């Protein structure tokens, strides 16, 4: 069925954004301090679309119901997520408690080391700590729920005193339930409840906020031959459907964040298209999380065989996402990302913000 998508472009920041919105020349992006002066109106079905560019002012004047609803979702201020205000980009620091994690393999595979690493990330400015016990890197095998829980639950219990919100990275309902009991407030599910549909009921029952991520295929084979009609619109449609499924399961819309899932069943071209079209996903009406940190597409662009040397590229990707209004950035190097974002923010918003 033919649909309409809106991609905000022509972005302004800070005082310039506020003035242009006040003068009716721009509209706010997700109710924040970035505004857009232009937008691409994309109509049709993925793979068969027509794109026209309009001023934000002209779009806002349209009486067309579908367009009005889309603009309302793009411009509305986002509610707090897991108790966190989203008026500036938040960092989600990564703690992998897996023996084979792709970028820090084996470094944090003991409980004590993982807890100490989480404390470092919180001290460096992570608002959220994402703790995972199953590798989802390309080519990896699933692990049993008992094994996964035995890795993550002691770490979640051990970080309860940290000044950060705890997120559990799991595709399994049993692990999510145990994590909620141990103190996790966010469920980061890279399968968006498609691996274990019971996870949606667990999130609703335990009041977990959720991150719903797009992935094509299973980690073992997802990079074999990923294909889309139009990667950006296909991912948008998928996330829209997963939000609807989550709401149907009883999860409040304000407790949902979405993520286009860079690296999960995507070629270099797919990842770049998603990263460069991040503003389109504000049309889903919920906060956006982007995870580019140390991913293989960075190597494809600028080199870096060892994931740990991909940090400068990771920081550039984080800034590219934040500059398009992404509210949460999932990163390994919180201190480095915080520096990169701090310099970018001072440049566009001034040092008072
Ligand atoms: C667990 N995990 C690995 N990469 C990820 C990404 O990009 N986003 C989210 N939400 N989770 C991820």
């Amino acid at each position: 069925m033919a649909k309409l998508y809106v991609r905000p472009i022509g972005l302004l920041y800070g005082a310039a954004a506020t003035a242009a919105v006040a003068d009716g020349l721009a509209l706010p992006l997700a109710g924040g301090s970035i505004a857009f002066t232009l937008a691409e109106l994309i109509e049709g079905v993925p793979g068969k679309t027509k794109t026209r560019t309009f001023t934000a002012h002209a779009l806002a004047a349209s009486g067309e119901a579908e367009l009005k609803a889309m603009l309302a979702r793009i411009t509305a201020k986002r509610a707090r997520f897991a108790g966190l205000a989203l008026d500036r980009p938040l960092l989600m620091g990564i703690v992998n408690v897996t023996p084979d994690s792709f970028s820090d393999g084996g470094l944090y595979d003991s409980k004590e080391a993982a807890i100490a690493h989480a404390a470092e990330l919180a001290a460096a400015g992570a608002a959220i700590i994402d703790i995972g016990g199953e590798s989802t890197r390309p080519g990896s095998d699933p692990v049993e729920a008992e094994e996964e829980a035995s890795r993550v639950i002691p770490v979640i219990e051990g970080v309860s005193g940290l000044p950060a919100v705890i997120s559990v990275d799991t595709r399994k309902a049993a692990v999510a339930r145990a994590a909620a009991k141990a103190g996790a407030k966010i469920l980061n599910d890279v399968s968006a409840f498609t691996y274990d549909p019971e996870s949606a009921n667990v999130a609703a029952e335990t009041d977990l906020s959720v991150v719903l991520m797009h992935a094509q295929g299973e980690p073992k084979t997802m990079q074999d031959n990923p294909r889309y009609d139009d990667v950006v619109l296909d991912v948008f449609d998928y996330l829209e459907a997963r939000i609807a499924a989550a709401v149907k399961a009883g999860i409040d819309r304000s407790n949902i964040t979405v993520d286009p899932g860079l690296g999960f069943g995507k070629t270099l071209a797919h990842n770049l298209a998603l990263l460069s079209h991040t503003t389109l996903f504000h049309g889903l009406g919920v906060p956006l999380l982007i995870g580019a940190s140390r991913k293989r597409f960075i190597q494809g662009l600028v080199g870096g065989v060892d994931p740990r040397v991909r940090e400068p590229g990771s920081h550039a990707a984080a800034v590219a996402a934040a500059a398009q209004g992404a509210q949460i950035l999932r990163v390994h190097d919180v201190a480095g990302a915080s520096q990169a974002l701090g310099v970018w923010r001072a440049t566009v918003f001034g040092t008072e913000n």
Side-chain angles (χ1 to χ4, degrees):
M1 194 187 59
K3 272 178 69 172
L4 167 162
Y5 308 84
V6 172
R7 177 191 175 214
I9 54 175
L11 303 181
L12 296 174
Y13 299 90
T18 310
V21 170
D23 290 341
L25 297 172
L27 293 168
L29 205 52
S33 45
I34 304 177
F36 60 100
T37 56
L38 300 168
E40 285 180 354
L41 184 64
I42 305 161
E43 289 169 288
V45 292
K48 223 173 165 206
T49 53
K50 187 172 96 185
T51 300
R52 289 174 295 160
T53 304
F54 292 90
T55 63
H57 181 259
L59 287 185
S62 162
E64 213 263 295
E66 194 182 348
L67 179 55
K68 277 178 93 153
M70 179 64 84
L71 286 177
R73 287 193 296 275
I74 291 172
T75 56
K77 187 169 166 56
R78 305 299 184 244
R80 293 171 83 90
F81 180 68
L84 297 165
L86 299 174
D87 49 1
R88 60 184 55 216
L90 301 179
L91 294 177
M92 171 189 259
I94 302 167
V95 175
N96 287 319
V97 200
T98 57
D100 67 335
S101 168
F102 76 103
S103 62
D104 45 15
L107 279 185
Y108 306 114
D109 61 355
S110 78
K111 175 185 152 186
E112 287 71 27
I115 294 169
H117 184 57
E120 275 168 27
L121 296 180
I128 304 168
I129 305 287
D130 191 36
I131 300 171
E134 178 187 55
S135 175
T136 46
R137 71 181 167 85
S140 57
D141 291 306
V143 296
E144 293 297 323
E146 294 75 39
E147 168 65 19
E148 191 182 329
S150 76
R151 293 177 186 174
V152 296
I153 301 305
V155 178
I156 294 172
E157 287 168 348
V159 297
S160 61
L162 291 182
V165 172
I166 302 307
S167 163
V168 63
D169 154 22
T170 184
R171 302 183 294 169
K172 303 188 189 79
V175 179
R177 189 181 291 284
K181 208 165 158 215
K185 298 288 181 232
I186 299 173
L187 165 56
N188 174 26
D189 185 344
V190 300
S191 82
F193 305 144
T194 60
Y195 184 83
D196 184 350
E198 182 55 20
S199 291
N201 300 325
V202 169
E205 281 164 31
T206 59
D207 214 20
L208 281 168
S209 296
V210 299
V211 177
L212 304 178
M213 198 198 79
H214 174 274
Q216 187 184 87
E218 284 293 307
K220 185 83 185 162
T221 53
M222 65 189 178
Q223 288 306 105
D224 287 355
N225 187 20
R227 281 173 180 277
Y228 299 89
D229 290 325
D230 177 319
V231 65
V232 176
L233 304 187
D234 286 352
V235 171
F236 184 99
D237 288 349
Y238 173 89
L239 291 174
E240 189 176 49
R242 297 319 298 160
I243 292 171
V247 169
K248 195 166 172 210
I251 299 170
D252 200 283
R253 214 185 154 82
S254 66
N255 289 336
I256 300 173
T257 282
V258 292
D259 178 347
L262 301 182
F264 283 77
K266 278 126 192 152
T267 63
L268 170 57
H270 295 148
N271 288 309
L272 265 188
L274 290 166
L275 188 54
S276 62
H277 288 67
T278 295
T279 58
L280 183 131
F281 293 96
H282 290 298
L284 291 165
V286 298
L288 308 181
L289 184 152
I290 301 289
S293 188
R294 298 185 183 174
K295 296 234 165 117
R296 202 170 290 168
F297 80 91
I298 294 172
Q299 179 193 349
L301 285 172
V302 290
V305 176
D306 178 344
R308 276 168 288 201
V309 306
R310 298 176 196 156
E311 281 303 340
S314 304
H315 299 330
V319 169
Q324 295 177 73
Q327 289 90 351
I328 305 176
L329 305 159
R330 186 177 182 275
V331 300
H332 292 85
D333 175 10
V334 170
S338 178
Q339 256 195 27
L341 288 164
V343 171
W344 166 71
R345 280 185 58 78
T347 310
V348 296
F349 296 113
T351 50
E352 302 294 300
N353 291 278

